[in-house]
Amino acid sequence: MTDSERATRRAILAQCRAMTASGLSQGMSGNISVRWREGLLITPTSLPYDRMMPEDLVFLCRDGTAEGPRRPSSEWRFHRDILAARPDARAVVHTHAPYATVLAILGREIPPLHYMVAVAGGATVPLAPYALFGTQALSDAVVGALAGRTACLMQHHGMIAIGSTLEEAMWRAGEVEALARQYHGCLALGQEPPLLSAAEIETVLQKMAASGYGAHRG
């Protein structure tokens, strides 16, 4: 293992533990991958993050063949397929963040209630329809939902955020959960929130793109 690969594995492991500490995941839920060589490095299945070591991460080839002593996350298909479909992404973060998951259970996308919805690449954080975890059907659903977006909710499941760096993907996951909490708060008060217009969100998107807002964080 090269020094570069070991550093990448350690960075993934650090973000896994940060994901739990921040409340974005609980128990062994959630998973992270980073593009690596002609494939990706991904968290293993059924191993608590506090017991995980850099060597436990799995290298996954494009054909789904795994290298290493452990099995990859059951969600390896959508990690592989997202990275294949999105050359702009280097990292994929999947969590069962509480507020995002509440909205996903209710079948709600996140509308443009706050300008920060633009961090997902458009006027909404879209919702991928439900499919069984670990299946090609789920992978197809999330790849479709992420078309033109950098984050999505997953019905009855959780959320996904992608980024050009692992740090950017993690930052985006945190922002989506914050948006979900804000939307949940509005609904808890018994109201659908007033929304920003498509034109207003487009202006925000242009300003973020011009400033490089959120890009390459870390």
Side-chain angles (χ1 to χ4, degrees):
M1 187 185 302
T2 65
D3 290 346
S4 178
E5 180 175 349
R6 182 170 292 278
T8 299
R9 287 170 176 261
R10 286 176 172 164
I12 294 170
L13 183 53
Q15 294 292 0
C16 286
R17 291 172 176 166
M19 190 164 62
T20 299
S22 68
L24 285 175
S25 69
Q26 46 282 326
M28 292 184 288
S29 68
N31 29 75
I32 292 176
S33 68
V34 170
R35 191 187 299 276
W36 187 256
R37 302 200 317 261
E38 297 302 310
L40 59 119
L41 291 168
I42 189 169
T43 47
T45 189
S46 304
L47 184 64
Y49 295 136
D50 61 358
R51 287 172 43 201
M52 199 177 294
M53 302 296 289
E55 295 77 11
D56 291 316
L57 296 170
V58 180
F59 175 73
L60 195 71
C61 301
R62 288 177 177 172
D63 64 1
T65 302
E67 296 179 4
R70 296 195 177 274
R71 292 181 295 120
S73 165
S74 61
E75 304 292 15
W76 64 265
R77 285 177 179 81
F78 71 60
H79 285 268
R80 178 197 62 181
D81 294 350
I82 290 168
L83 290 172
R86 296 294 297 267
D88 58 316
R90 184 170 180 261
V92 178
V93 171
H94 164 52
T95 86
H96 296 175
Y99 289 94
T101 302
V102 166
L103 297 180
I105 289 169
L106 293 175
R108 290 176 178 264
E109 65 180 13
I110 301 178
L113 74 164
H114 191 287
Y115 76 86
M116 283 295 286
V117 77
V119 302
T124 64
V125 180
L127 177 73
Y130 177 76
L132 182 64
F133 76 93
T135 62
Q136 189 61 49
L138 178 59
S139 180
D140 293 343
V142 298
V143 169
L146 285 169
R149 294 290 193 273
T150 51
C152 72
L153 306 186
M154 307 161 71
Q155 193 168 22
H156 297 286
H157 192 148
M159 68 130 121
I160 292 173
I162 65 176
S164 59
T165 65
L166 176 55
E167 293 79 10
E168 183 185 318
M170 281 291 295
W171 164 78
R172 183 165 286 118
E175 292 297 334
V176 170
E177 177 66 351
L179 288 162
R181 186 170 185 173
Q182 292 158 10
Y183 189 25
H184 176 275
C186 294
L187 298 176
L189 291 173
Q191 298 186 55
E192 285 285 347
L195 302 178
L196 296 169
S197 69
E200 287 166 329
I201 293 296
E202 181 59 33
T203 300
V204 174
L205 286 166
Q206 291 175 7
K207 187 169 185 177
M208 285 183 172
S211 67
Y213 185 85
H216 307 286
R217 300 180 82 89

